[in-house]
Amino acid sequence: MTADHEIHDTDDLIPLTPDRNIALELVRATEAAAIRSVPFIGRGQKELADGAAVDAMRAFLTTVEFDGRIVIGEGEKDNAPMLFNGEHVGTGRGRSYDIAVDPIDGTTLTAEGRNNALSVIAMSDRGTMLDASSVFYMDKLVTGPAGVGVVDIRLPVQENIRLLAQALGKPIDEMVVSVLNRPRHQQLIADIRSTGAGTRLMSDGDVAGGINAARHDARTDMCVGVGGSPEGIVTACAIKALGGHIQGRMWPRDDDERQRGIDAGLPMDDVLEAEDLVKGNNTIFVATGVTDGALVAGVKRQDGYLYTESVVLRGHSGTLRRISSDHLESKWL
């Protein structure tokens, strides 16, 4: 793969692609949020866990040399503490970016001590990220590169499984589809299994589910179903780097929410492609594990150190990097 490079504007010499140093600063913010969540893992206090993660992430983001605007903030669904929509982060100097944050994707997972909780930040150029915050849920379809131009969210899930299996050269009985384990998905789960494919039911954390379905070495082939609309935007930033396929449709829970979406200018009846969710390939996605999962390991405490694992995906270069860090625990007390 070609080495990363930065393109510069000849007028002001400001990078047109997110600087690698900014990506590393974002990692520091997700690491901090993950570490501050550790005392609350398995303690049944998801609001306290989220609050600690939010405070830690905000503190680090204020030091980053950029003008960041929160477009997708977490917390509106469950009245949790949040980095609020419209909040500006960073020093205010340098290029302007849209930011999506989820200090803990999987607060319930964290509170119950279960796998696949992440701390997440996604970034793209200012004005490129869809603000879907007025409608909390989105129906999504995510696959790896083999699904591009092959599957379509408008088709029955059984047909999409058959088409993707053919594109992958796999028997249908070896296909695995991730879906959130929710009452609203009972028929969807039955339809998936009716094809002979297997399901991987997720209790929470559909960002990780989507990314794992799009990775070239994934154990799952597709991620489908209704999850958070903020998570859909965040996932799209990652899919840009993985060359995968993502589609979404807004899923209002009632007429009032549908009207709020219309009033906000959201295309309520359209199928949203990756380019509708986040325009261009100038994206960064960063995630640090809070608890262990298929994407990254969770925070470990041992012999006076805190160990974290993070991933950085850059849409411009199409790279996924893993960053393992050792932190002196005494610095975090």
mmCIF file with all atom_site columns, all heavy atoms in Angstrom, residues 124-143:
data_model
loop_
_atom_site.group_PDB
_atom_site.id
_atom_site.type_symbol
_atom_site.label_atom_id
_atom_site.label_alt_id
_atom_site.label_comp_id
_atom_site.label_asym_id
_atom_site.label_entity_id
_atom_site.label_seq_id
_atom_site.pdbx_PDB_ins_code
_atom_site.Cartn_x
_atom_site.Cartn_y
_atom_site.Cartn_z
_atom_site.occupancy
_atom_site.B_iso_or_equiv
_atom_site.pdbx_formal_charge
_atom_site.auth_seq_id
_atom_site.auth_comp_id
_atom_site.auth_asym_id
_atom_site.auth_atom_id
_atom_site.pdbx_PDB_model_num
ATOM 1   N N   . SER A 1 124 ? -14.168 14.500 10.148 1.00 0.00 ? 124 SER A N   1
ATOM 2   C CA  . SER A 1 124 ? -14.131 14.773 8.711  1.00 0.00 ? 124 SER A CA  1
ATOM 3   C C   . SER A 1 124 ? -14.111 16.284 8.522  1.00 0.00 ? 124 SER A C   1
ATOM 4   O O   . SER A 1 124 ? -14.277 17.045 9.476  1.00 0.00 ? 124 SER A O   1
ATOM 5   C CB  . SER A 1 124 ? -15.332 14.150 7.997  1.00 0.00 ? 124 SER A CB  1
ATOM 6   O OG  . SER A 1 124 ? -16.546 14.725 8.442  1.00 0.00 ? 124 SER A OG  1
ATOM 7   N N   . ASP A 1 125 ? -13.897 16.735 7.300  1.00 0.00 ? 125 ASP A N   1
ATOM 8   C CA  . ASP A 1 125 ? -13.854 18.167 7.031  1.00 0.00 ? 125 ASP A CA  1
ATOM 9   C C   . ASP A 1 125 ? -15.158 18.849 7.442  1.00 0.00 ? 125 ASP A C   1
ATOM 10  O O   . ASP A 1 125 ? -16.233 18.243 7.402  1.00 0.00 ? 125 ASP A O   1
ATOM 11  C CB  . ASP A 1 125 ? -13.611 18.423 5.534  1.00 0.00 ? 125 ASP A CB  1
ATOM 12  C CG  . ASP A 1 125 ? -12.191 18.093 5.109  1.00 0.00 ? 125 ASP A CG  1
ATOM 13  O OD1 . ASP A 1 125 ? -11.279 18.271 5.922  1.00 0.00 ? 125 ASP A OD1 1
ATOM 14  O OD2 . ASP A 1 125 ? -12.016 17.636 3.965  1.00 0.00 ? 125 ASP A OD2 1
ATOM 15  N N   . ARG A 1 126 ? -15.063 20.128 7.821  1.00 0.00 ? 126 ARG A N   1
ATOM 16  C CA  . ARG A 1 126 ? -16.234 20.885 8.248  1.00 0.00 ? 126 ARG A CA  1
ATOM 17  C C   . ARG A 1 126 ? -17.306 20.881 7.161  1.00 0.00 ? 126 ARG A C   1
ATOM 18  O O   . ARG A 1 126 ? -17.036 21.123 5.980  1.00 0.00 ? 126 ARG A O   1
ATOM 19  C CB  . ARG A 1 126 ? -15.820 22.323 8.578  1.00 0.00 ? 126 ARG A CB  1
ATOM 20  C CG  . ARG A 1 126 ? -16.938 23.258 9.003  1.00 0.00 ? 126 ARG A CG  1
ATOM 21  C CD  . ARG A 1 126 ? -17.598 22.844 10.322 1.00 0.00 ? 126 ARG A CD  1
ATOM 22  N NE  . ARG A 1 126 ? -16.649 22.756 11.430 1.00 0.00 ? 126 ARG A NE  1
ATOM 23  C CZ  . ARG A 1 126 ? -16.196 23.784 12.143 1.00 0.00 ? 126 ARG A CZ  1
ATOM 24  N NH1 . ARG A 1 126 ? -16.596 25.019 11.850 1.00 0.00 ? 126 ARG A NH1 1
ATOM 25  N NH2 . ARG A 1 126 ? -15.346 23.596 13.137 1.00 0.00 ? 126 ARG A NH2 1
ATOM 26  N N   . GLY A 1 127 ? -18.517 20.571 7.572  1.00 0.00 ? 127 GLY A N   1
ATOM 27  C CA  . GLY A 1 127 ? -19.641 20.582 6.657  1.00 0.00 ? 127 GLY A CA  1
ATOM 28  C C   . GLY A 1 127 ? -19.863 19.299 5.885  1.00 0.00 ? 127 GLY A C   1
ATOM 29  O O   . GLY A 1 127 ? -20.749 19.249 5.023  1.00 0.00 ? 127 GLY A O   1
ATOM 30  N N   . THR A 1 128 ? -19.103 18.235 6.191  1.00 0.00 ? 128 THR A N   1
ATOM 31  C CA  . THR A 1 128 ? -19.229 16.991 5.421  1.00 0.00 ? 128 THR A CA  1
ATOM 32  C C   . THR A 1 128 ? -19.992 15.898 6.155  1.00 0.00 ? 128 THR A C   1
ATOM 33  O O   . THR A 1 128 ? -20.361 14.900 5.550  1.00 0.00 ? 128 THR A O   1
ATOM 34  C CB  . THR A 1 128 ? -17.839 16.447 5.040  1.00 0.00 ? 128 THR A CB  1
ATOM 35  O OG1 . THR A 1 128 ? -17.093 16.190 6.242  1.00 0.00 ? 128 THR A OG1 1
ATOM 36  C CG2 . THR A 1 128 ? -17.082 17.427 4.167  1.00 0.00 ? 128 THR A CG2 1
ATOM 37  N N   . MET A 1 129 ? -20.243 16.068 7.449  1.00 0.00 ? 129 MET A N   1
ATOM 38  C CA  . MET A 1 129 ? -20.833 15.014 8.265  1.00 0.00 ? 129 MET A CA  1
ATOM 39  C C   . MET A 1 129 ? -22.326 15.286 8.457  1.00 0.00 ? 129 MET A C   1
ATOM 40  O O   . MET A 1 129 ? -22.716 16.371 8.874  1.00 0.00 ? 129 MET A O   1
ATOM 41  C CB  . MET A 1 129 ? -20.120 14.966 9.626  1.00 0.00 ? 129 MET A CB  1
ATOM 42  C CG  . MET A 1 129 ? -20.411 13.748 10.462 1.00 0.00 ? 129 MET A CG  1
ATOM 43  S SD  . MET A 1 129 ? -19.423 13.759 12.006 1.00 0.00 ? 129 MET A SD  1
ATOM 44  C CE  . MET A 1 129 ? -17.792 13.352 11.374 1.00 0.00 ? 129 MET A CE  1
ATOM 45  N N   . LEU A 1 130 ? -23.151 14.314 8.133  1.00 0.00 ? 130 LEU A N   1
ATOM 46  C CA  . LEU A 1 130 ? -24.591 14.466 8.282  1.00 0.00 ? 130 LEU A CA  1
ATOM 47  C C   . LEU A 1 130 ? -24.953 14.576 9.766  1.00 0.00 ? 130 LEU A C   1
ATOM 48  O O   . LEU A 1 130 ? -24.532 13.763 10.582 1.00 0.00 ? 130 LEU A O   1
ATOM 49  C CB  . LEU A 1 130 ? -25.315 13.264 7.677  1.00 0.00 ? 130 LEU A CB  1
ATOM 50  C CG  . LEU A 1 130 ? -26.846 13.273 7.782  1.00 0.00 ? 130 LEU A CG  1
ATOM 51  C CD1 . LEU A 1 130 ? -27.442 14.365 6.917  1.00 0.00 ? 130 LEU A CD1 1
ATOM 52  C CD2 . LEU A 1 130 ? -27.414 11.901 7.392  1.00 0.00 ? 130 LEU A CD2 1
ATOM 53  N N   . ASP A 1 131 ? -25.731 15.597 10.106 1.00 0.00 ? 131 ASP A N   1
ATOM 54  C CA  . ASP A 1 131 ? -26.242 15.741 11.458 1.00 0.00 ? 131 ASP A CA  1
ATOM 55  C C   . ASP A 1 131 ? -27.593 15.036 11.524 1.00 0.00 ? 131 ASP A C   1
ATOM 56  O O   . ASP A 1 131 ? -28.619 15.575 11.127 1.00 0.00 ? 131 ASP A O   1
ATOM 57  C CB  . ASP A 1 131 ? -26.393 17.213 11.827 1.00 0.00 ? 131 ASP A CB  1
ATOM 58  C CG  . ASP A 1 131 ? -26.934 17.426 13.237 1.00 0.00 ? 131 ASP A CG  1
ATOM 59  O OD1 . ASP A 1 131 ? -27.207 16.417 13.927 1.00 0.00 ? 131 ASP A OD1 1
ATOM 60  O OD2 . ASP A 1 131 ? -27.079 18.589 13.648 1.00 0.00 ? 131 ASP A OD2 1
ATOM 61  N N   . ALA A 1 132 ? -27.566 13.806 12.029 1.00 0.00 ? 132 ALA A N   1
ATOM 62  C CA  . ALA A 1 132 ? -28.785 12.998 12.105 1.00 0.00 ? 132 ALA A CA  1
ATOM 63  C C   . ALA A 1 132 ? -29.345 12.953 13.510 1.00 0.00 ? 132 ALA A C   1
ATOM 64  O O   . ALA A 1 132 ? -30.136 12.071 13.842 1.00 0.00 ? 132 ALA A O   1
ATOM 65  C CB  . ALA A 1 132 ? -28.478 11.577 11.618 1.00 0.00 ? 132 ALA A CB  1
ATOM 66  N N   . SER A 1 133 ? -28.964 13.908 14.352 1.00 0.00 ? 133 SER A N   1
ATOM 67  C CA  . SER A 1 133 ? -29.278 13.834 15.774 1.00 0.00 ? 133 SER A CA  1
ATOM 68  C C   . SER A 1 133 ? -30.767 13.991 16.084 1.00 0.00 ? 133 SER A C   1
ATOM 69  O O   . SER A 1 133 ? -31.212 13.621 17.170 1.00 0.00 ? 133 SER A O   1
ATOM 70  C CB  . SER A 1 133 ? -28.486 14.895 16.538 1.00 0.00 ? 133 SER A CB  1
ATOM 71  O OG  . SER A 1 133 ? -28.760 16.194 16.048 1.00 0.00 ? 133 SER A OG  1
ATOM 72  N N   . SER A 1 134 ? -31.555 14.532 15.161 1.00 0.00 ? 134 SER A N   1
ATOM 73  C CA  . SER A 1 134 ? -32.978 14.730 15.443 1.00 0.00 ? 134 SER A CA  1
ATOM 74  C C   . SER A 1 134 ? -33.775 13.428 15.358 1.00 0.00 ? 134 SER A C   1
ATOM 75  O O   . SER A 1 134 ? -34.924 13.368 15.811 1.00 0.00 ? 134 SER A O   1
ATOM 76  C CB  . SER A 1 134 ? -33.568 15.768 14.488 1.00 0.00 ? 134 SER A CB  1
ATOM 77  O OG  . SER A 1 134 ? -33.366 15.389 13.149 1.00 0.00 ? 134 SER A OG  1
ATOM 78  N N   . VAL A 1 135 ? -33.197 12.401 14.762 1.00 0.00 ? 135 VAL A N   1
ATOM 79  C CA  . VAL A 1 135 ? -33.821 11.069 14.717 1.00 0.00 ? 135 VAL A CA  1
ATOM 80  C C   . VAL A 1 135 ? -32.821 10.091 15.313 1.00 0.00 ? 135 VAL A C   1
ATOM 81  O O   . VAL A 1 135 ? -31.729 9.908  14.785 1.00 0.00 ? 135 VAL A O   1
ATOM 82  C CB  . VAL A 1 135 ? -34.192 10.655 13.275 1.00 0.00 ? 135 VAL A CB  1
ATOM 83  C CG1 . VAL A 1 135 ? -34.804 9.255  13.251 1.00 0.00 ? 135 VAL A CG1 1
ATOM 84  C CG2 . VAL A 1 135 ? -35.157 11.660 12.672 1.00 0.00 ? 135 VAL A CG2 1
ATOM 85  N N   . PHE A 1 136 ? -33.192 9.443  16.386 1.00 0.00 ? 136 PHE A N   1
ATOM 86  C CA  . PHE A 1 136 ? -32.224 8.690  17.168 1.00 0.00 ? 136 PHE A CA  1
ATOM 87  C C   . PHE A 1 136 ? -31.788 7.376  16.530 1.00 0.00 ? 136 PHE A C   1
ATOM 88  O O   . PHE A 1 136 ? -30.726 6.869  16.849 1.00 0.00 ? 136 PHE A O   1
ATOM 89  C CB  . PHE A 1 136 ? -32.788 8.390  18.563 1.00 0.00 ? 136 PHE A CB  1
ATOM 90  C CG  . PHE A 1 136 ? -32.973 9.612  19.409 1.00 0.00 ? 136 PHE A CG  1
ATOM 91  C CD1 . PHE A 1 136 ? -33.982 9.651  20.361 1.00 0.00 ? 136 PHE A CD1 1
ATOM 92  C CD2 . PHE A 1 136 ? -32.159 10.726 19.253 1.00 0.00 ? 136 PHE A CD2 1
ATOM 93  C CE1 . PHE A 1 136 ? -34.168 10.787 21.153 1.00 0.00 ? 136 PHE A CE1 1
ATOM 94  C CE2 . PHE A 1 136 ? -32.333 11.852 20.033 1.00 0.00 ? 136 PHE A CE2 1
ATOM 95  C CZ  . PHE A 1 136 ? -33.337 11.884 20.992 1.00 0.00 ? 136 PHE A CZ  1
ATOM 96  N N   . TYR A 1 137 ? -32.638 6.800  15.659 1.00 0.00 ? 137 TYR A N   1
ATOM 97  C CA  . TYR A 1 137 ? -32.335 5.469  15.146 1.00 0.00 ? 137 TYR A CA  1
ATOM 98  C C   . TYR A 1 137 ? -32.255 5.445  13.621 1.00 0.00 ? 137 TYR A C   1
ATOM 99  O O   . TYR A 1 137 ? -32.894 6.243  12.935 1.00 0.00 ? 137 TYR A O   1
ATOM 100 C CB  . TYR A 1 137 ? -33.374 4.456  15.629 1.00 0.00 ? 137 TYR A CB  1
ATOM 101 C CG  . TYR A 1 137 ? -33.276 4.197  17.108 1.00 0.00 ? 137 TYR A CG  1
ATOM 102 C CD1 . TYR A 1 137 ? -34.181 4.781  17.987 1.00 0.00 ? 137 TYR A CD1 1
ATOM 103 C CD2 . TYR A 1 137 ? -32.265 3.403  17.641 1.00 0.00 ? 137 TYR A CD2 1
ATOM 104 C CE1 . TYR A 1 137 ? -34.087 4.570  19.345 1.00 0.00 ? 137 TYR A CE1 1
ATOM 105 C CE2 . TYR A 1 137 ? -32.165 3.183  18.998 1.00 0.00 ? 137 TYR A CE2 1
ATOM 106 C CZ  . TYR A 1 137 ? -33.074 3.770  19.853 1.00 0.00 ? 137 TYR A CZ  1
ATOM 107 O OH  . TYR A 1 137 ? -32.970 3.574  21.200 1.00 0.00 ? 137 TYR A OH  1
ATOM 108 N N   . MET A 1 138 ? -31.459 4.484  13.139 1.00 0.00 ? 138 MET A N   1
ATOM 109 C CA  . MET A 1 138 ? -31.239 4.323  11.710 1.00 0.00 ? 138 MET A CA  1
ATOM 110 C C   . MET A 1 138 ? -31.162 2.834  11.399 1.00 0.00 ? 138 MET A C   1
ATOM 111 O O   . MET A 1 138 ? -30.532 2.066  12.137 1.00 0.00 ? 138 MET A O   1
ATOM 112 C CB  . MET A 1 138 ? -29.922 5.004  11.313 1.00 0.00 ? 138 MET A CB  1
ATOM 113 C CG  . MET A 1 138 ? -29.559 4.911  9.839  1.00 0.00 ? 138 MET A CG  1
ATOM 114 S SD  . MET A 1 138 ? -27.896 5.614  9.501  1.00 0.00 ? 138 MET A SD  1
ATOM 115 C CE  . MET A 1 138 ? -28.186 7.348  9.851  1.00 0.00 ? 138 MET A CE  1
ATOM 116 N N   . ASP A 1 139 ? -31.816 2.428  10.325 1.00 0.00 ? 139 ASP A N   1
ATOM 117 C CA  . ASP A 1 139 ? -31.693 1.069  9.812  1.00 0.00 ? 139 ASP A CA  1
ATOM 118 C C   . ASP A 1 139 ? -30.435 1.023  8.948  1.00 0.00 ? 139 ASP A C   1
ATOM 119 O O   . ASP A 1 139 ? -30.253 1.865  8.067  1.00 0.00 ? 139 ASP A O   1
ATOM 120 C CB  . ASP A 1 139 ? -32.937 0.720  8.991  1.00 0.00 ? 139 ASP A CB  1
ATOM 121 C CG  . ASP A 1 139 ? -32.988 -0.741 8.591  1.00 0.00 ? 139 ASP A CG  1
ATOM 122 O OD1 . ASP A 1 139 ? -32.245 -1.559 9.173  1.00 0.00 ? 139 ASP A OD1 1
ATOM 123 O OD2 . ASP A 1 139 ? -33.781 -1.077 7.686  1.00 0.00 ? 139 ASP A OD2 1
ATOM 124 N N   . LYS A 1 140 ? -29.557 0.032  9.194  1.00 0.00 ? 140 LYS A N   1
ATOM 125 C CA  . LYS A 1 140 ? -28.245 0.024  8.553  1.00 0.00 ? 140 LYS A CA  1
ATOM 126 C C   . LYS A 1 140 ? -27.913 -1.324 7.928  1.00 0.00 ? 140 LYS A C   1
ATOM 127 O O   . LYS A 1 140 ? -28.386 -2.363 8.386  1.00 0.00 ? 140 LYS A O   1
ATOM 128 C CB  . LYS A 1 140 ? -27.158 0.382  9.577  1.00 0.00 ? 140 LYS A CB  1
ATOM 129 C CG  . LYS A 1 140 ? -27.173 1.830  10.021 1.00 0.00 ? 140 LYS A CG  1
ATOM 130 C CD  . LYS A 1 140 ? -26.306 2.068  11.243 1.00 0.00 ? 140 LYS A CD  1
ATOM 131 C CE  . LYS A 1 140 ? -27.040 1.728  12.513 1.00 0.00 ? 140 LYS A CE  1
ATOM 132 N NZ  . LYS A 1 140 ? -26.348 2.169  13.740 1.00 0.00 ? 140 LYS A NZ  1
ATOM 133 N N   . LEU A 1 141 ? -27.102 -1.259 6.903  1.00 0.00 ? 141 LEU A N   1
ATOM 134 C CA  . LEU A 1 141 ? -26.534 -2.445 6.260  1.00 0.00 ? 141 LEU A CA  1
ATOM 135 C C   . LEU A 1 141 ? -25.061 -2.170 6.020  1.00 0.00 ? 141 LEU A C   1
ATOM 136 O O   . LEU A 1 141 ? -24.714 -1.184 5.364  1.00 0.00 ? 141 LEU A O   1
ATOM 137 C CB  . LEU A 1 141 ? -27.243 -2.731 4.929  1.00 0.00 ? 141 LEU A CB  1
ATOM 138 C CG  . LEU A 1 141 ? -26.581 -3.740 3.982  1.00 0.00 ? 141 LEU A CG  1
ATOM 139 C CD1 . LEU A 1 141 ? -26.542 -5.124 4.603  1.00 0.00 ? 141 LEU A CD1 1
ATOM 140 C CD2 . LEU A 1 141 ? -27.321 -3.781 2.643  1.00 0.00 ? 141 LEU A CD2 1
ATOM 141 N N   . VAL A 1 142 ? -24.196 -3.036 6.556  1.00 0.00 ? 142 VAL A N   1
ATOM 142 C CA  . VAL A 1 142 ? -22.746 -2.860 6.420  1.00 0.00 ? 142 VAL A CA  1
ATOM 143 C C   . VAL A 1 142 ? -22.115 -4.174 5.993  1.00 0.00 ? 142 VAL A C   1
ATOM 144 O O   . VAL A 1 142 ? -22.431 -5.230 6.550  1.00 0.00 ? 142 VAL A O   1
ATOM 145 C CB  . VAL A 1 142 ? -22.099 -2.400 7.748  1.00 0.00 ? 142 VAL A CB  1
ATOM 146 C CG1 . VAL A 1 142 ? -20.615 -2.110 7.531  1.00 0.00 ? 142 VAL A CG1 1
ATOM 147 C CG2 . VAL A 1 142 ? -22.803 -1.179 8.321  1.00 0.00 ? 142 VAL A CG2 1
ATOM 148 N N   . THR A 1 143 ? -21.229 -4.087 4.995  1.00 0.00 ? 143 THR A N   1
ATOM 149 C CA  . THR A 1 143 ? -20.431 -5.248 4.579  1.00 0.00 ? 143 THR A CA  1
ATOM 150 C C   . THR A 1 143 ? -19.020 -4.774 4.257  1.00 0.00 ? 143 THR A C   1
ATOM 151 O O   . THR A 1 143 ? -18.735 -3.576 4.258  1.00 0.00 ? 143 THR A O   1
ATOM 152 C CB  . THR A 1 143 ? -21.009 -5.935 3.317  1.00 0.00 ? 143 THR A CB  1
ATOM 153 O OG1 . THR A 1 143 ? -20.726 -5.115 2.162  1.00 0.00 ? 143 THR A OG1 1
ATOM 154 C CG2 . THR A 1 143 ? -22.502 -6.163 3.432  1.00 0.00 ? 143 THR A CG2 1
#
